[in-house]
């Protein structure tokens, strides 16, 4: 478990606070700097909610040129910078250290260019994931990577964490859609990569920067590839008496030659939780539910649906009737998409985003159940079956300190069990602050050392998003909220 210490008084950097804040306020438009005496609480924590930090100040630039100024002044003052998007990180990636300047993108919300013929869009880093699709829809395009936080999370944050979602199976994750990127380095210099096509030559720096969790550069502008809206979309829901039959069906679908738009699993606990807050007709007597969505041309989707029905097991393994409905008219996804709300309704929760090879899903799900039972933690699991990402929700009463620490330990048990199965501690959210203590379970020391060397090629003195992922800083300076 990561350590959280109280704010270090007397830090020389803190004594320089007002100097730097004054210089930033002079260089930037009015209101761009939020310093001492203002309420910075919004910027002290993120979606992980576990720990909060005291930022030195918050800066909200409006354009790349202003980010260059901020980075240059911070670098000259020897102050660390923490890039922040919407702060929805679930791994403490956007919690500032006490001596860090938070540089947020909430005023960088412009669509800079839109090519409706070729399906390309260039946006500032603060534009939300959903706004990219909303802007593109009238011209028949959408932005496919679909984190569940898409209404709020920013494209800069998506690049920071290489965000993905249920449809990554068919359309890929953020890195698959990235065509160009402008970023600012620690010293305030600008980096322009890519353009209208995939980065053509030399090192794939965009690939390196995507998912680097604010530890290498500050992303300011991004060019993204869009996908055409499908003619038709249909969802099939099948309930099963046991997990084995459900996963065997999913495997037959994935081996059939069809790549579904998404194929999702929900266990009995997840079905029960979601039916309580967003009833949409899931059968609560089932042990498992598989939802499959096909998208494409009308005829193709109709044929695919017939093929799917042919892959279902005999009635003895199923519960109730199979439902298939046009996706836009069907409530079938309401339950699955309400899982975060459903978990909140049962108290507080920690959600995992672990990953295992598809062939290891059954033993892993069994192990999750055993580990949660050992620590007496209520749990519910949903999974993206296309890529083996498990989201297990571990719920607890927030007023019970012992339950909270049991949940944290149980989460680590499950992450390590996934590594033992050949999987990873994080498939989507990243490492940030709260999983960095597990990195050594995932990587050999020499591999981690090589990653740190790459970071040092971009960042000196640990001054970009310190305290996270590959940072050499051991202790996090912040508060554990009551
Ligand atoms: C309810 C909920 C559901 C979620 N579902 C998913 C999901 O389905 N899939 C998924 O992948 N994630 C999911 N997440 C996690 C989170 O939303 C994503 O990681 C998202 O991409 C973070 O975007 P953000 O704008 O909030 O970034 P922040 O939380 O502000 O930052 C995330 C990381 O990116 C860095 N960063 C932010 N902006 C920049 C920038 N401009 N330049 C460089 N680095 C930057 C930060 O330093 C930090 O390390 C979920 C979170 C919540 C709360």
């Amino acid at each position: 478990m990561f350590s959280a210490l109280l704010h270090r008084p007397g830090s020389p950097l803190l004594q320089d606070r007002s100097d730097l804040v004054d210089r930033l306020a002079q260089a930037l438009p009015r209101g761009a700097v939020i310093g001492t005496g203002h309420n910075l609480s919004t910027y002290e924590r993120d979606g992980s909610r576990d720990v909060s930090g005291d930022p030195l100040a918050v800066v909200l630039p409006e354009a790349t040129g202003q980010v260059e100024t901020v980075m240059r002044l911070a670098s000259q003052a020897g102050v660390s910078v923490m890039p922040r998007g919407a702060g929805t990180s679930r791994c403490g990636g956007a919690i500032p250290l006490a001596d860090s300047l938070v540089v947020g993108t909430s005023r960088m919300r412009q669509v800079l260019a839109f090519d409706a013929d070729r399906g390309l869009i260039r946006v500032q880093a603060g534009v939300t994931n959903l706004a990219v699709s909303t802007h593109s829809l009238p011209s028949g395009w959408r932005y496919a990577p679909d984190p569940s936080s898409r209404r709020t999370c920013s494209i800069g944050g998506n690049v920071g964490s290489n965000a993905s979602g249920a449809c990554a199976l068919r359309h890929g994750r953020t890195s698959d859609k990235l065509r160009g990127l402008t970023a600012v380095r620690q010293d305030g210099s600008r980096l322009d990569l890519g353009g209208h096509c995939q980065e053509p030559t030399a090192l794939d720096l965009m690939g390196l920067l995507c998912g680097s969790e604010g530890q290498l550069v500050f992303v300011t502008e991004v060019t993204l590839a869009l996908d055409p809206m499908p003619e038709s979309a249909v969802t099939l829901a099948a309930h099963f008496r046991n997990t084995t039959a459900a996963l065997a069906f999913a495997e037959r679908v994935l081996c059939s030659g069809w790549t579904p738009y998404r194929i999702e699993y929900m266990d009995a606990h997840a079905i029960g939780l979601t039916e309580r807050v967003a009833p949409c007709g899931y059968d609560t007597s089932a042990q498992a539910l598989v939802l499959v969505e096909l998208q494409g041309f009308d005829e193709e989707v109709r044929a695919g649906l017939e093929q799917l029905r042919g892959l279902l097991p005999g009635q003895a393994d199923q519960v109730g009737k199979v439902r298939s409905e046009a996706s836009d008219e069907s409530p079938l996804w309401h339950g699955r998409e309400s899982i975060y709300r459903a978990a909140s309704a049962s108290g507080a929760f920690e959600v995992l985003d672990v990953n295992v090879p598809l062939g290891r899903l059954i033993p892993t799900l069994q192990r999750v159940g055993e580990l949660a039972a050992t620590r007496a933690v209520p749990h519910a699991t949903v999974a993206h079956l296309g890529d083996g990402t498990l989201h297990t929700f571990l719920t607890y009463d927030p007023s019970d300190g012992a339950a909270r620490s049991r949940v944290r330990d149980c989460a680590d048990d499950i992450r390590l069990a996934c590594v033992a199965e050949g999987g990873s501690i994080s498939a989507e959210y990243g490492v940030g602050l709260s999983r960095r203590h597990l990195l050594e379970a995932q990587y050999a020391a020499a591999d981690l050392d090589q990653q740190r060397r790459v970071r040092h090629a971009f960042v000196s003195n640990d001054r970009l998003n310190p305290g996270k992922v590959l940072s050499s800083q051991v202790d996090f300076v912040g508060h554990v909220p009551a």
Side-chain angles (χ1 to χ4, degrees):
M1 183 48 64
F2 59 88
S3 56
L5 305 178
L6 290 180
H7 186 83
R8 273 192 213 114
S11 153
L13 290 177
L14 294 185
Q15 286 155 17
D16 283 347
R17 173 197 289 234
S18 56
D19 272 6
L20 176 62
V21 171
D22 287 350
R23 265 176 274 138
L24 286 165
Q26 278 163 20
L28 297 170
R30 181 188 271 273
V33 181
I34 314 174
T36 325
H38 290 84
N39 183 356
L40 302 182
S41 57
T42 308
Y43 303 94
E44 288 171 1
R45 54 177 77 182
D46 65 13
S48 62
R49 299 196 197 115
D50 254 359
V51 183
S52 66
D54 281 333
L56 185 69
V58 175
V59 187
L60 303 175
E62 292 166 4
T64 301
Q66 292 176 17
V67 176
E68 289 174 41
T69 305
V70 174
M71 298 294 271
R72 196 182 61 250
L73 291 176
S75 171
Q76 285 165 359
V79 168
S80 301
V81 166
M82 194 209 75
R84 180 182 166 107
T88 64
S89 169
R90 284 219 163 258
C91 60
I95 298 173
L97 292 194
D99 47 13
S100 285
L101 193 65
V102 172
V103 183
T105 56
S106 58
R107 291 186 177 186
M108 300 177 72
R109 291 264 168 97
Q110 279 186 44
V111 174
L112 301 169
F114 177 56
D115 182 339
D117 294 329
R118 286 187 293 171
L120 288 168
I121 190 166
R122 185 159 177 90
V123 295
Q124 285 189 304
V127 170
T128 64
N129 176 295
L130 185 66
V132 176
S133 278
T134 310
H135 188 92
S136 314
L137 264 174
S139 307
W141 298 98
R142 67 173 165 194
Y143 181 55
D146 61 339
S148 303
S149 52
R150 59 187 169 274
R151 285 172 200 285
T152 325
C153 66
S154 70
I155 286 297
N158 289 178
V159 173
S161 58
N162 194 8
S164 71
C167 81
L169 170 67
R170 172 82 174 258
H171 289 287
R173 47 200 309 146
T174 306
S175 52
D176 296 300
K177 300 297 170 195
L178 206 49
R179 295 293 178 271
L181 178 153
T182 294
V184 179
R185 280 180 281 235
Q186 183 187 18
D187 63 1
S189 61
R190 177 180 167 138
L191 184 66
D192 285 300
L193 297 169
H196 284 179
C197 51
Q198 301 276 13
E199 181 73 3
T201 49
L203 292 180
D204 178 10
L205 281 191
M206 269 200 303
L208 176 66
L209 299 182
C210 189
S212 60
E213 300 194 40
Q215 292 234 301
L216 301 183
V217 291
F218 193 107
V219 176
T220 59
E221 297 175 19
V222 174
T223 302
L224 301 164
L226 304 166
D227 285 286
M229 286 298 292
E231 195 173 87
S232 177
V234 116
T235 296
L236 174 141
H239 295 83
F240 297 86
R241 286 190 204 288
N242 58 67
T243 303
T244 310
L247 296 186
F249 166 62
E251 193 172 337
R252 286 194 294 277
V253 173
L254 291 167
C255 295
S256 69
W258 258 95
T259 306
Y261 176 65
R262 46 185 169 167
I263 174 164
E264 296 285 298
Y265 162 87
M266 296 173 73
D267 72 5
H269 306 292
I271 296 170
L273 273 185
T274 56
E275 272 298 300
R276 281 202 285 280
V277 305
C280 60
Y282 296 160
D283 191 326
T284 51
S285 68
Q287 283 307 303
L289 166 65
V290 175
L291 291 160
V292 192
E293 181 166 7
L294 300 179
Q295 295 194 349
F297 295 110
D298 283 342
E299 215 166 288
E300 181 186 28
V301 167
R302 261 199 306 276
L305 191 58
E306 277 316 297
Q307 202 180 341
L308 281 190
R309 287 182 172 278
L311 299 173
L312 284 160
Q315 200 52 49
D317 280 327
Q318 293 185 57
V319 177
K321 281 208 162 72
V322 174
R323 281 167 68 182
S324 59
E325 293 162 12
S327 300
D328 54 354
E329 291 162 8
S330 161
L332 278 173
W333 286 100
H334 294 175
R336 168 62 187 87
E337 288 174 352
S338 302
I339 183 71
Y340 286 90
R341 191 155 59 91
S344 297
S346 61
F349 67 88
E350 167 142 5
V351 54
L352 290 130
D353 64 319
V354 286
N355 182 269
V356 285
L358 289 179
R360 302 306 297 163
L361 271 174
I362 291 178
T364 305
L365 286 169
Q366 272 164 0
R367 193 78 191 113
V368 167
E370 287 160 12
L371 292 168
T374 307
R375 296 204 186 258
V377 173
H379 61 99
T381 295
V382 299
H384 308 320
L385 290 178
D387 62 8
T389 299
L390 301 183
H391 291 301
T392 296
F393 290 76
L394 304 172
T395 56
Y396 61 97
D397 171 356
S399 64
D400 180 349
R404 188 174 180 166
S405 74
R406 274 203 314 278
V407 160
R408 283 189 193 141
D409 291 342
C410 182
D412 278 357
D413 293 346
I414 295 174
R415 291 183 185 116
L416 293 173
C418 290
V419 173
E421 291 290 354
S424 69
I425 57 172
S426 169
E428 290 183 346
Y429 305 157
V431 174
L433 178 67
S434 58
R435 291 102 184 261
R436 54 175 301 208
H437 63 290
L438 298 176
L439 270 183
E440 274 150 26
Q442 179 90 60
Y443 295 106
D447 298 342
L448 271 180
D449 186 50
Q450 188 58 53
Q451 295 201 31
R452 292 200 170 99
R453 284 167 196 240
V454 172
R455 182 165 182 249
H456 289 155
F458 284 84
V459 174
S460 57
N461 299 320
D462 203 14
R463 292 224 183 97
L464 205 46
N465 207 1
K468 321 286 167 57
V469 202
L470 298 168
S471 174
S472 51
Q473 187 149 341
V474 179
D475 292 320
F476 172 73
V477 182
H479 306 283
V480 177

